[in-house]
Amino acid sequence: MSINDLPVLSALRTKMQWHQERQRVLSENVSNSDTPNFKPRDLVEPKFDKAGAAAGSIGALAMVRTTTGHIAPSNGGGDTFDQNRRAGFETRPAGNAVNLEDEMLKVSANQMDYAAVTSLYAKSLHLLKTAIGKG
């Protein structure tokens, strides 16, 4: 069994990839804060089963529907992107719904969560190295 096959490490890697992708999406929201009719997006957080595998996933990340017109996944899941659930709450006259304060709070929370996951991943690898006598 390879170290890459351990469910805990696989779940941590999936979570790190999700945080990286979320950072990209949040940065797009911030960079388009003055674009007319732009709606901010966010990603659905991956869910894991008790074995540490991403629940309802094909490959590393779960499938999501970006539009209700898309065909639902065969497993019955129909999760979607968070298309600003408070749509219209703080929409400016130009149609832009980006709230920079909310986006920056999400960015900082995402950064802290990513740091926690990478620290846990590094400590898990160190623990495994110690267990096999190479640490």
Side-chain angles (χ1 to χ4, degrees):
M1 174 185 247
S2 169
I3 287 180
N4 293 331
D5 295 335
L6 295 174
V8 171
L9 295 180
S10 177
L12 290 171
R13 275 194 313 278
T14 299
K15 189 74 170 170
M16 285 189 294
Q17 291 169 345
W18 180 80
H19 282 295
Q20 289 171 345
E21 184 62 19
R22 185 173 191 226
Q23 192 72 12
R24 185 190 65 75
V25 170
L26 293 174
S27 68
E28 285 179 1
N29 291 347
V30 170
S31 66
N32 285 301
S33 65
D34 289 330
T35 304
N37 297 319
F38 182 81
K39 304 287 186 245
R41 300 183 311 157
D42 203 349
L43 298 180
V44 176
E45 190 167 358
K47 306 233 184 306
F48 299 98
D49 60 15
K50 290 183 180 186
S57 68
I58 297 175
L61 297 175
M63 289 179 54
V64 294
R65 291 173 60 191
T66 57
T67 314
T68 55
H70 291 171
I71 298 173
S74 61
N75 63 1
D79 292 339
T80 61
F81 281 106
D82 178 4
Q83 295 284 339
N84 191 20
R85 294 178 191 194
R86 299 180 297 163
F89 179 67
E90 291 189 23
T91 303
R92 288 183 249 158
N96 189 303
V98 176
N99 182 337
L100 285 176
E101 288 131 2
D102 286 345
E103 295 303 314
M104 295 313 290
L105 284 172
K106 289 178 191 177
V107 166
S108 63
N110 190 58
Q111 182 180 5
M112 289 187 297
D113 291 344
Y114 181 79
V117 172
T118 55
S119 175
L120 191 57
Y121 186 80
K123 289 180 182 191
S124 297
L125 285 178
H126 180 68
L127 182 64
L128 286 171
K129 287 180 183 178
T130 301
I132 61 174
K134 295 191 177 196

